[in-house]
Amino acid sequence: MRRFLRPGHDPVRERLKRDLFQFNKTVEHGFPHQPSALGYSPFLRLMAIGTRSGAIKLYGAPGVEFMGLHEENNTVMQIHFIPDQCQLVTLLDDNSLHLWSLKQHSGASELREEHRFTLKGPPGSPPSATQITAVLPHSSREVLYLGTESGNIFVVELPSFRVLEDRTITSEAVLQRVPEDYCNRRSCELVEALREHPKNPDQILIGYSRGLIVLWDLQNNKVTHHFLGSQQLENLYWQRDGSKFISCHYDGSYTQWPVSSDNRQPEPLENLVPYGPFPCKAISKIYWQTTKNGLPYIIFQGGMPRASYGDRHSISVVHGSQQTAFDFTSRVIDFFIIFSSEPTAEFDDPSAMVVLAEEELVVIDLKTAGWPAVHPPYLASLHCSAITCSHHVSNIPLKLWERIISAGSKQNIHYSNMPWPIDGGTNIAPDPPQRDLLLTGHEDGTVRFWDASGVCLHLLYKLSTVRVFLTDADPNDNMNTLGEDEWPPLRKVGTFDPYSDDPRLGIQKIYLCKYSGYLAVAGTAGQVLVMELNDEDAEHVVDHAEADLLQDQEGYRWKGHEKLKTRDGPVRFEAGFQPFVLVQCQPPAVVTSLALHSEWKLVAFGTSHGFGLFDHQQKRLVFVKCTLHPSDQLALEGPLSRVKSLKKSLRQSFRRIRRSRVSSRKRRGGSGNASEVQEANAKFDQDALQEMELAPVQRKIEARSAEDSFTGFVRTLYFADTFLRDSSRHCPSLWAGTNGGTVYAFCLRVPPAERRMDEPVRAEQAKEIQLMHRAPVVGILVLDGRSTPLPEPLEVAHDLSKSPDMQGSHQLLVVSEEQFKVFTLPKVSSKLKLKLTALEGCRVRKVTVANFGSCKTDDYSENDLAVLTNLGDIQIISLPFLKLQIRYPCIRKEDVSGIASCVFTKYGQGFYLISPSEFERFSLSTKWLVEPRCIVDMPEITSNNHMHNKSSMENAARKS
């Protein structure tokens, strides 16, 4: 009866669990998915980005980040900071306005939504009457001017969003001062731009889409000047002194207009089509920046010749005789210029151009000759080539860290040395307690090393495996080289490049040993590269070896892609990780598992056909093992034949269902007529439904057939020094788990160091375990005599871990998709199991050992299993007793790619992709928590603040 009794509530353990475990989603790393709007505050020196999903993100100095989310999840169309305030306004595509404030709480600033508002017209008016097209926050900080599709401009009070109807600027009032022939020829149409006079806050410039521009006097409610443009208007920009402004147009031209003190009809000073005379694209935005040397910077978006360059996304910078059209690989959303914002400054003196493209953020240094790009400390374009895998390494030794940074700095010599220009706010988060690396593998054959220690995910170093292979593109080709006389003077900028020279180059598995500096990388076409870190450029031959995983099999024919062709002779490599040996699996299928033991100098690899072991010190193949089942034909078709195989398997499934229905009808109905058979079927379905409803919570795990496809697929590889043959002697071993629920164990004989190069490494199969339910094996772990997981290779030698207990008996933990099972070693007899699928109806997708420390004391920590299921839940399971400690919902179960991309860290944190370009970071630990903590203090304001002097925002800022 004891097994049916519910275990008692242990208050001590429950209290300890509260000290150990806590789930938090802490920060989003990478580039926002589908950005749609950009804003900048020169006063706060903060940048804001809005997305199509309704998110708004603020960025300042590295570590200063804020995030908000509109409840409506609508696209953010525009972002405007309120002058001299810690507030901003967003406009969504549902025509709603939202006021956000940075307020201080518990010693740090937070972004909060204060008010929301939708502009409504009189009853019966069309939606276009109040559809907002332009927003101008006035420098008084009291009102917003809202231009609409109808041509009317509404005035809204801040922060209440009350419409001041008596101050509305109607299109009829504007047209009273415009010549009659112009009014008859053109209507005002929608308001395209609103700009406040830089020297006189009582005047605003209004630009209408048909080309009419007027200067409106707010005090006297009348037009003081009108400017008659002949082309469709796109945007306006005031020069600093207010004596002139620039208009840019749909035909690719821009015009400079004078603003005189008298009421004379102004004529344009200059009308220029920069890339004419042929038809050009619209110039959608323009800046005219003054400098001390007299030559202005003219910066504009678009304007390229339509016929030849209509598909380019460009921003041109013109300064005297210098002219460059920066060519971006994705659509430009918006851009702004960072220049002197001091009211007393006589010149703009621009320092940087910040461009938000659809797939990346690019910053150009305008102070340095050649206008180089600035290396961003955050908003990294993670998906510059699609991410195919990731690998996290905690607590990197300082020496390795410095060598990686040194290698990366040699790659960044073409970047500007300019300090990051968006530097608002103060990061008050504690310094990261350790150095962490996140490695991402990419479709183009590159591996990127990211500093994942803190809030900012910063690129340290990029490794390319392409040089080892022969591809269509020459790595020495430079896409940026231009002829001296080439026009337009295009220059490609940015790192986003989604196109791969060859999909076979894709990286599938990564394993880095932080103690020895060895790195193993495996790819889509069966290639396994072993590398070591070199601080200097080098030229050497990469040794090749082949591993034929089908050597003992007959009648199999590989139908997938061919292997990659390798370069003959010496290959030149940059400083950093340099490959010294290539192991090519045959058939060249995707490498599905990888393990590296740097102390024994061995690397193990597995595919859908089997696994092998390679000695990278002697550069010799130790053994291969084929795991194919006779029915595994699908494993030989490769990824390109998968669609055909899917159709085939679906067809077979439907045939099986049809056969089972026919046979059940024959058993039940015999030779009865059709109505009897139909009645029997209905009764059978009802009985089955009733049986399902009455089924207990625990359901039986159904054993899978050995004929299911991909049973030989190697899911996991694991090295361990443990007791495999008898309980008196331990030896090195290699364990492999397959998709068919089979675990193979091999005894290894590794010669001692003095004879390591003279004697070969030998391997002999010692065990083969077949799980009864045949579920895929996703994890293997050996626990020592203290029930502690075995340390990593070289961890004990570096005094970072206790030596494993070799006196007590060891235990083997095998994690399948459906259950956890503990075996004793060396007899491999079942000791304990936890049926996860039977109880929860879910399957294990990821599992790792994590160390959880108490937030109350430094003296206590424990090792537990962190498990991610196909339902997106994370479960923490204790070792060695396999008791469920806690469960947290983390990822939506529909987000299959997010679940597949998840990677756990050694100390209870994790990362998963919430979009192709963003990692969500989460923490399961109370002790290890990396999240933004920052403060934005409002600078002193010299001008009269009116009602905002008493605002709660400023009071909070003063207290800080």
Side-chain angles (χ1 to χ4, degrees):
M1 291 295 292
R2 199 173 293 163
R3 59 183 290 196
F4 295 103
L5 293 175
R6 188 177 174 182
H9 181 76
D10 183 357
V12 177
R13 180 62 191 172
E14 290 301 315
R15 190 163 55 249
L16 183 58
K17 280 159 61 172
R18 287 195 295 271
D19 295 344
L20 292 172
F21 312 123
Q22 182 181 358
F23 178 74
N24 289 288
K25 290 186 178 180
T26 55
V27 66
E28 293 176 3
H29 295 301
F31 185 76
H33 185 50
Q34 296 181 326
S36 55
L38 177 68
Y40 178 67
S41 169
F43 175 70
L44 300 174
R45 297 185 73 83
L46 294 179
M47 171 180 66
I49 295 176
T51 71
R52 289 190 207 170
S53 59
I56 177 169
K57 301 185 178 185
L58 270 62
Y59 300 93
V64 176
E65 294 185 16
F66 303 94
M67 180 179 170
L69 186 65
H70 297 88
E71 287 182 10
E72 296 81 1
N73 289 346
N74 289 79
T75 299
V76 181
M77 302 298 292
Q78 296 182 35
I79 301 173
H80 300 274
F81 281 87
I82 308 299
D84 303 338
Q85 291 291 307
C86 291
Q87 292 180 311
L88 64 153
V89 171
T90 55
L91 172 66
L92 305 191
D93 64 351
D94 64 355
N95 207 40
S96 63
L97 286 166
H98 301 255
L99 179 67
W100 298 81
S101 294
L102 283 169
K103 295 206 169 185
Q104 294 185 22
H105 177 72
S106 301
S109 298
E110 293 179 353
L111 182 65
R112 296 181 187 173
E113 186 177 356
E114 298 288 326
H115 300 287
R116 64 186 64 191
F117 163 76
T118 301
L119 185 63
K120 294 177 181 176
S125 61
S128 62
T130 54
Q131 184 68 42
I132 300 170
T133 56
V135 179
L136 172 63
H138 195 261
S139 60
S140 66
R141 303 177 292 282
E142 294 179 346
V143 292
L144 290 177
Y145 290 89
L146 308 176
T148 61
E149 279 189 5
S150 64
N152 296 329
I153 297 166
F154 296 89
V155 185
V156 175
E157 190 178 51
L158 286 175
S160 64
F161 278 137
R162 183 170 65 89
V163 179
L164 305 176
E165 296 182 3
D166 57 325
R167 294 173 64 176
T168 301
I169 305 171
T170 63
S171 55
E172 291 79 11
V174 169
L175 291 174
Q176 287 176 2
R177 283 293 306 271
V178 177
E180 194 172 331
D181 60 333
Y182 194 88
C183 296
N184 294 336
R185 195 169 73 250
R186 296 167 179 272
S187 64
C188 287
E189 280 211 348
L190 63 85
V191 178
E192 198 71 61
L194 292 171
R195 298 286 180 265
E196 183 180 336
H197 195 293
K199 299 296 183 184
N200 184 357
D202 291 331
Q203 291 183 336
I204 61 171
L205 199 61
I206 306 170
Y208 296 93
S209 62
R210 286 289 181 91
L212 172 64
I213 306 165
V214 298
L215 188 62
W216 183 265
D217 186 340
L218 297 174
Q219 290 290 333
N220 301 310
N221 288 329
K222 67 174 187 178
V223 172
T224 61
H225 296 75
H226 61 270
F227 309 87
L228 307 179
S230 59
Q231 293 293 334
Q232 181 175 321
L233 180 70
E234 290 290 320
N235 220 320
L236 298 170
Y237 186 78
W238 277 108
Q239 290 191 22
R240 190 179 189 92
D241 60 1
S243 64
K244 294 185 280 290
F245 70 88
I246 314 296
S247 63
C248 54
H249 302 275
Y250 182 76
D251 66 341
S253 66
Y254 65 81
T255 305
Q256 189 176 185
W257 302 87
V259 180
S260 58
S261 56
D262 53 31
N263 292 330
R264 285 182 302 170
Q265 170 62 35
E267 293 294 330
L269 294 175
E270 181 184 29
N271 187 3
L272 187 66
V273 183
Y275 295 112
F278 301 107
C280 294
K281 291 177 69 178
I283 294 179
S284 55
K285 190 171 184 178
I286 191 165
Y287 281 83
W288 184 290
Q289 301 277 280
T290 57
T291 60
K292 291 175 184 175
N293 66 8
L295 293 172
Y297 278 86
I298 306 167
I299 303 167
F300 56 89
Q301 178 184 346
M304 283 281 145
R306 284 187 181 276
S308 305
Y309 301 95
D311 59 341
R312 300 296 181 102
H313 314 290
S314 69
I315 295 178
S316 298
V317 180
V318 182
H319 179 59
S321 60
Q322 300 176 63
Q323 180 164 347
T324 299
F326 293 100
D327 186 15
F328 300 87
T329 54
S330 57
R331 184 171 63 92
V332 173
I333 303 297
D334 200 355
F335 75 101
F336 61 84
I337 306 299
I338 296 177
F339 56 91
S340 175
S341 57
E342 289 294 325
T344 55
E346 188 179 350
F347 303 101
D348 293 309
D349 284 327
S351 58
M353 176 173 72
V354 180
V355 183
L356 176 67
E358 203 164 33
E359 304 292 353
E360 63 186 327
L361 184 83
V362 178
V363 178
I364 303 296
D365 178 2
L366 298 177
K367 287 285 190 185
T368 305
W371 300 330
V374 181
H375 195 54
Y378 48 72
L379 285 174
S381 183
L382 299 175
H383 64 316
C384 44
S385 173
I387 294 176
T388 49
C389 67
S390 51
H391 174 66
H392 188 275
V393 188
S394 299
N395 209 4
I396 302 292
L398 179 60
K399 188 175 181 181
L400 176 64
W401 185 264
E402 290 174 342
R403 293 178 71 190
I404 291 172
I405 290 176
S406 174
S409 64
K410 294 175 183 176
Q411 296 176 335
N412 295 333
I413 54 173
H414 58 283
Y415 279 107
S416 166
N417 293 322
M418 170 191 237
W420 184 242
I422 305 164
D423 55 3
T426 306
N427 179 18
I428 57 173
D431 291 335
Q434 60 186 32
R435 295 169 292 274
D436 288 355
L437 274 180
L438 179 67
L439 282 69
T440 53
H442 296 265
E443 194 179 45
D444 62 354
T446 59
V447 178
R448 286 170 168 80
F449 290 64
W450 305 92
D451 177 1
S453 314
V455 171
C456 296
L457 194 69
H458 181 62
L459 182 65
L460 299 179
Y461 165 69
K462 184 180 85 169
L463 161 71
S464 177
T465 62
V466 178
R467 285 185 177 273
V468 180
F469 306 102
L470 288 169
T471 59
D472 294 336
D474 187 343
N476 295 316
D477 286 348
N478 188 354
M479 301 296 290
N480 291 336
T481 52
L482 293 170
E484 291 181 9
D485 301 325
E486 184 160 338
W487 188 261
L490 288 164
R491 188 175 109 201
K492 197 169 282 293
V493 287
T495 58
F496 179 72
D497 182 12
Y499 307 107
S500 173
D501 297 328
D502 193 326
R504 295 174 296 172
L505 290 167
I507 306 298
Q508 297 296 329
K509 295 291 173 184
I510 305 168
Y511 197 104
L512 172 66
C513 175
K514 61 186 178 184
Y515 303 112
S516 65
Y518 282 116
L519 173 69
V521 170
T524 304
Q527 70 270 29
V528 180
L529 286 163
V530 186
M531 313 184 187
E532 58 185 344
L533 194 54
N534 190 345
D535 297 328
E536 301 295 334
D537 293 5
E539 188 172 359
H540 59 256
V541 175
V542 178
D543 291 298
H544 295 182
E546 282 214 353
D548 182 7
L549 297 172
L550 296 178
Q551 57 183 7
D552 299 327
Q553 304 290 328
E554 293 182 1
Y556 287 102
R557 187 170 63 86
W558 170 248
K559 302 173 187 174
H561 50 239
E562 295 180 354
K563 68 175 184 179
L564 285 160
K565 294 179 180 177
T566 54
R567 293 180 182 272
D568 296 327
V571 182
R572 184 158 190 81
F573 297 102
E574 296 176 339
F577 286 95
Q578 299 172 352
F580 61 88
V581 68
L582 165 67
V583 183
Q584 178 62 56
C585 298
Q586 287 289 9
V590 174
V591 177
T592 57
S593 53
L594 185 70
L596 177 73
H597 200 294
S598 47
E599 191 172 355
W600 302 337
K601 305 291 192 297
L602 299 175
V603 60
F605 49 88
T607 71
S608 52
H609 307 118
F611 61 96
L613 182 66
F614 186 81
D615 178 355
H616 65 76
Q617 184 165 2
Q618 291 189 11
K619 298 175 183 174
R620 171 182 164 273
L621 189 66
V622 179
F623 77 90
V624 292
K625 169 74 175 176
C626 181
T627 56
L628 271 181
H629 189 272
S631 65
D632 274 353
Q633 286 299 324
L634 192 59
L636 290 163
E637 293 183 356
L640 301 178
S641 307
R642 192 70 50 80
V643 176
K644 193 186 296 182
S645 305
L646 181 62
K647 288 179 181 176
K648 182 180 174 185
S649 65
L650 285 172
R651 200 179 299 122
Q652 288 172 347
S653 300
F654 281 119
R655 282 175 182 167
R656 238 181 263 126
I657 293 168
R658 202 178 296 124
R659 281 199 298 270
S660 65
R661 282 179 177 171
V662 170
S663 61
S664 64
R665 286 171 190 167
K666 285 179 180 177
R667 285 196 301 273
R668 291 195 307 270
S671 57
N673 57 29
S675 60
E676 288 174 347
V677 172
Q678 194 172 355
E679 190 179 338
N681 282 346
K683 188 175 186 306
F684 175 77
D685 291 343
Q686 192 175 355
D687 292 344
L689 188 63
Q690 206 169 18
E691 188 183 337
M692 284 169 63
E693 288 172 351
L694 297 173
V697 174
Q698 182 168 352
R699 59 185 178 80
K700 184 181 178 183
I701 299 177
E702 294 185 4
R704 306 183 187 199
S705 167
E707 295 179 1
D708 286 350
S709 293
F710 276 118
T711 55
F713 186 115
V714 179
R715 292 286 290 268
T716 184
L717 291 163
Y718 177 71
F719 286 107
D721 187 356
T722 187
F723 301 93
L724 199 53
R725 293 195 178 279
D726 55 59
S727 56
S728 59
R729 287 178 300 171
H730 57 89
C731 66
S733 62
L734 172 66
W735 301 76
T738 72
N739 223 37
T742 307
V743 177
Y744 300 96
F746 281 75
C747 273
L748 307 178
R749 185 189 170 278
V750 181
E754 61 273 12
R755 299 196 304 276
R756 184 63 180 82
M757 288 301 292
D758 304 325
E759 298 179 14
V761 175
R762 301 194 182 278
E764 182 182 354
Q765 184 168 338
K767 307 283 183 188
E768 182 174 336
I769 308 165
Q770 179 61 60
L771 301 179
M772 294 297 291
H773 58 292
R774 297 183 184 275
V777 177
V778 295
I780 297 173
L781 183 68
V782 172
L783 305 175
D784 69 5
R786 293 187 293 264
S787 297
T788 303
L790 296 181
E792 295 178 19
L794 296 174
E795 194 173 9
V796 175
H798 284 75
D799 296 326
L800 295 170
S801 174
K802 293 180 180 177
S803 297
D805 185 351
M806 293 297 186
Q807 304 303 317
S809 59
H810 284 198
Q811 300 172 78
L812 170 70
L813 171 64
V814 177
V815 182
S816 75
E817 281 190 357
E818 298 178 357
Q819 72 178 15
F820 301 77
K821 199 162 187 177
V822 175
F823 300 89
T824 59
L825 287 176
K827 290 184 178 179
V828 195
S829 56
S830 179
K831 181 180 179 182
L832 186 67
K833 67 181 174 183
L834 172 65
K835 296 181 180 179
L836 189 73
T837 298
L839 294 171
E840 311 296 338
C842 57
R843 297 178 185 275
V844 177
R845 286 289 177 259
K846 305 275 181 175
V847 62
T848 194
V849 176
N851 183 268
F852 293 92
S854 170
C855 62
K856 297 287 179 66
T857 174
D858 293 334
D859 299 335
Y860 183 80
S861 67
E862 65 180 42
N863 291 306
D864 297 289
L865 289 177
V867 179
L868 175 69
T869 72
N870 64 326
L871 303 179
D873 291 341
I874 291 179
Q875 303 184 10
I876 298 174
I877 295 170
S878 67
L879 286 174
F881 300 113
L882 302 183
K883 299 290 183 185
L884 177 63
Q885 300 300 297
I886 204 156
R887 180 192 296 112
Y888 301 112
C890 180
I891 311 173
R892 290 181 304 108
K893 64 180 180 182
E894 298 83 11
D895 187 3
V896 179
S897 59
I899 292 171
S901 66
C902 183
V903 56
F904 288 108
T905 77
K906 192 177 177 182
Y907 294 99
Q909 296 185 66
F911 303 81
Y912 69 93
L913 288 171
I914 53 174
S915 74
S917 59
E918 290 172 291
F919 274 114
E920 175 84 69
R921 186 178 192 136
F922 62 87
S923 175
L924 306 169
S925 169
T926 56
K927 188 173 182 180
W928 300 93
L929 194 68
V930 175
E931 61 181 349
R933 186 168 173 79
C934 42
I935 193 165
V936 175
D937 285 322
M938 201 162 75
E940 290 292 328
I941 304 170
T942 54
S943 61
N944 184 16
N945 285 334
H946 304 284
M947 68 179 192
H948 288 276
N949 276 330
K950 298 179 181 178
S951 71
S952 59
M953 180 64 241
E954 193 161 339
N955 289 336
R958 281 204 197 93
K959 288 176 186 175
S960 69

